[in-house]
Structures are given as structure tokens and as C-alpha cells.
Amino acid sequence: MTVTIIGGSASIDLARKISDRLGSDFVSSSVRTFPDGESKVTLSKAPSDGKIVVVNSTCPPVDTNLVQTLSIISKAREFSDDVVSVVPYMGYSRQDREFLPGEISTLSVVAELLKSSGSSEITSIDIHSDAGIRHFKGSIRNLSAIPDLVAETRKVGLDNPIVVSPDNGGIKRAESFSEIYGTDYTFLNKVRDGITGDVGISSNGHIDLEGRDVIIVDDMISTGGSITKSADFLKKGGCGRIFVACTHAVFIGDAQKRIMGSGVEGIISTNTVPNPTSTVDVSKIIAESISF
Ligand code: R5P
């Protein structure tokens, strides 16, 4: 069967890598932004019928990239009934429940939009929570970049490292990372103010990190608040070197600089959101997930 990969502007390099791995046709897309902010998306050529795989992360500007992704999916559907939508970083993943009365779980709206625009299947990587995955009602494949993040982190050569989740929501992720690495894990207590977004970190009561190197594992970095506050806390506890491994380094504003200024020696992330720390390439796990 013919496979065509269409790359959206947020993931064009990743899409090309997936296409190279599969030896498939490749269609790029370009975007023109009108003065009022609307996007005009144009494909470089018509895709063949057969399987079409649309690849685009909905990283910032989130709404713009979401509309572009939906537009490409809808166009792809004109050529094929078999449209796989790969959204490596799924924006809105943290909006998976009603935290305050009246809030909307926008991830459920995104899930419906991805389906109704023409996706027969949806693929993403390390979605923030199981609650979020449930909004897709069985139509999503959630791949894990953790084995590849572990392999990359090993290259640092850490001394008796312990894996730390910055919050209890990330315990499963830290556990999985530590199992593959072959070490232990713990977690911190994180409280985020629902209105201001400010983060406070405290002990879970059972942490002894004295002299041990630390790998803080998280699904994503946005403002960097969770990581900088965790690093401050861990240093006060007398830990050794601190590194961060995360799947999606979104880096809002000067987040990367602030993290490095908080005593973290290195950040390892994937190219779901391309930036200078994305040394882990997820094209292999995505290509392997695409069945012919
Ligand atoms: C939240 O539970 C997530 O797993 C991340 O810890 C969080 O979204 C990171 O955001 P920020 O970098 O703004 O603290």
C-alpha cells in the first residue's frame, strides 16, 4: 500500500525523518498568515490515495497549530479514507478535567475535532495523563519515548542516580523510567495555585537523596516552574548532580535559561517539540507504529 507522510509546519523535520525511515512519499505544507491572524495552509502537492499520515505537534502557538493540523487532516481525507493523525505533542493535554467549577476539559473538544476532521486513527507520545487518554475513547495510540530518553540519559554517566517525579501525577512515568534504567525512584509533592499557576514543592516525607545524582523525569516543561522549584528543593536536600529528562520541552519564554540557572546541569528531551535540547529522535517509534 502507498504511504504518504504530510508534514505540518510545527513538525516538518520530524515528518521528513519518518518518511525517510518508511521510504514513503512526502508532502510538505506551507502556511501564510493573513493580517487578521487566519492561517492559509497549502500542501506542496496532492497526496496519493492509500494511507496518509499527517504529522504535526500542537505546540505553541497552540491554537494556530491545531487549526493547521485539522485543516491538513480534512484535506487528506479528500484523498483517502485511511488518515492517521500523528500529533507528537498534544497541546491541551493538561486540560483533561474540571479543576475549578465551570472549567472546560478542552482536551475532550480537541479529541472530537481530530476525529471529526477525518482521522481514522490518532497517535501521540507520552500524553500527560490517563484521564486525558480516556477523552479519545479508544481511538488514540499513546507511544512512549521513555526507553529512548533512558538510553540518552545513560550517556551522561551519572553516579548512583535516583529518578524523581516533580509531582505524584508523574509517579508511573518515574517508575517506568527507573525500571528501564535499573534504579529506584521517588516523587515530590507539588501544589499549583489554580488561579496564578504558581508552584510549591515539598517532601513526600520519605526522601533521602544525600549525595545521589538525580534525574528529574517529567512529561513536559512549559514555564520551567516545576523543574526550577524541584531543583531548589533537591539541592537543599544535599543531592549530587541534577539532570532533567522530559518528552516535550515546550520552553515558554526563558524557561530553559532559568532551569539551567537553577543548578540543573542538563536537559534531555525529544523532537516532538524541536529545540536545542531535543537529542532524542522519536521518528523511529512513530515509523514503527505505522502499519502498512
Ligand atoms: C504537570 O503536571 C506536568 O506534568 C508538568 O510538570 C508541568 O506541566 C510543567 O509545567 P511548568 O514547566 O510550567 O511548571
Side-chain angles (χ1 to χ4, degrees):
M1 182 201 284
T2 323
V3 177
T4 303
I5 306 290
I6 306 181
S9 61
S11 299
I12 203 84
D13 291 342
L14 174 58
R16 206 180 289 276
K17 283 193 172 97
I18 297 167
S19 173
D20 288 347
R21 284 184 185 278
L22 294 171
S24 67
D25 289 346
F26 182 72
V27 175
S28 64
S29 62
S30 59
V31 183
R32 194 173 137 217
T33 307
F34 289 134
D36 60 2
E38 288 180 3
S39 304
K40 168 59 81 187
V41 188
T42 308
L43 300 186
S44 58
K45 62 180 181 187
S48 319
D49 55 4
K51 186 185 282 290
I52 300 180
V53 182
V54 176
V55 184
N56 208 28
S57 277
T58 51
C59 50
V62 178
D63 292 348
T64 302
N65 280 325
L66 177 61
V67 169
Q68 289 173 12
T69 306
L70 297 171
S71 302
I72 298 171
I73 295 166
S74 149
K75 187 70 182 170
R77 190 67 181 203
E78 291 175 18
F79 296 88
S80 170
D81 288 340
D82 188 3
V83 177
V84 179
S85 300
V86 179
V87 185
Y89 167 69
M90 183 75 71
Y92 286 102
S93 283
R94 291 175 297 173
Q95 297 199 36
D96 55 1
R97 68 201 82 179
E98 186 179 323
F99 295 97
L100 296 174
E103 283 185 349
I104 295 163
S105 305
T106 301
L107 185 60
S108 69
V109 181
V110 170
E112 284 309 317
L113 287 170
L114 287 169
K115 279 191 260 180
S116 60
S117 59
S119 314
S120 16
E121 252 181 78
I122 301 163
T123 296
S124 189
I125 301 181
D126 292 329
I127 290 236
H128 175 65
S129 64
D130 289 344
I133 291 170
R134 284 194 287 276
H135 286 301
F136 291 84
K137 301 184 179 116
S139 62
I140 194 160
R141 191 188 300 223
N142 183 38
L143 306 176
S144 174
I146 289 180
D148 293 324
L149 284 167
V150 170
E152 190 69 10
T153 309
R154 276 190 207 288
K155 294 181 189 166
V156 178
L158 295 171
D159 181 22
N160 186 23
I162 180 164
V163 175
V164 175
S165 168
D167 50 45
N168 58 15
I171 289 178
K172 258 175 62 181
R173 199 173 297 118
E175 185 178 17
S176 148
F177 192 107
S178 67
E179 267 175 23
I180 300 169
Y181 198 104
T183 187
D184 50 347
Y185 74 94
T186 188
F187 64 97
L188 304 176
N189 282 327
K190 179 171 94 179
V191 182
R192 189 185 286 276
D193 186 302
I195 310 286
T196 64
D198 286 347
V199 164
I201 296 280
S202 59
S203 168
N204 69 14
H206 306 283
I207 305 184
D208 180 12
L209 306 169
E210 185 73 41
R212 293 188 70 179
D213 287 349
V214 168
I215 310 163
I216 303 177
V217 172
D218 213 344
D219 58 324
M220 64 177 290
I221 297 170
S222 177
T223 64
S226 304
I227 301 294
T228 52
K229 293 269 172 63
S230 301
D232 286 345
F233 177 85
L234 293 165
K235 274 188 308 182
K236 281 183 193 138
C239 72
R241 308 167 75 194
I242 305 176
F243 282 78
V244 176
C246 80
T247 306
H248 316 289
V250 177
F251 290 150
I252 298 304
D254 61 354
Q256 186 183 357
K257 199 169 150 205
R258 287 194 306 108
I259 291 171
M260 298 310 287
S262 71
V264 169
E265 286 188 39
I267 304 169
I268 294 157
S269 70
T270 80
N271 56 350
T272 59
V273 184
N275 64 56
T277 67
S278 15
T279 47
V280 173
D281 177 17
V282 291
S283 66
K284 185 162 182 279
I285 56 169
I286 295 172
E288 285 169 354
S289 79
I290 296 165
S291 47
F292 288 81

